[in-house]
Amino acid sequence: MDIPALSMSMSMSRLHLDVGFAVMAEVMDSAEEMEIALLDILEASVTPDLGQNIDIRV
């Protein structure tokens, strides 16, 4: 393999790595946003006094 071809091969490998890391960073950011949204939903659904007392009148 000659030097220009080797250089192109190394450049393409580096590009693939950079693209892979960029995609991974986007996925991690998206997952973090989804985690925050899910925690907000779970916190909003918690009602600590619900079901503690039962009023029964006959």
Side-chain angles (χ1 to χ4, degrees):
M1 187 181 286
D2 57 348
I3 292 175
L6 180 61
S7 175
M8 288 293 292
S9 176
M10 290 174 61
S11 178
M12 290 299 291
S13 294
R14 179 65 185 183
L15 176 65
H16 286 144
L17 281 173
D18 290 343
V19 169
F21 284 132
V23 169
M24 183 177 60
E26 288 293 323
V27 169
M28 289 175 64
D29 289 343
S30 176
E32 185 177 350
E33 290 173 5
M34 288 174 46
E35 175 188 6
I36 291 169
L38 180 60
L39 287 175
D40 289 342
I41 291 170
L42 289 174
E43 287 175 0
S45 69
V46 174
T47 309
D49 297 330
L50 187 63
Q52 295 296 322
N53 299 319
I54 300 175
D55 293 332
I56 300 176
R57 294 193 182 185
V58 181

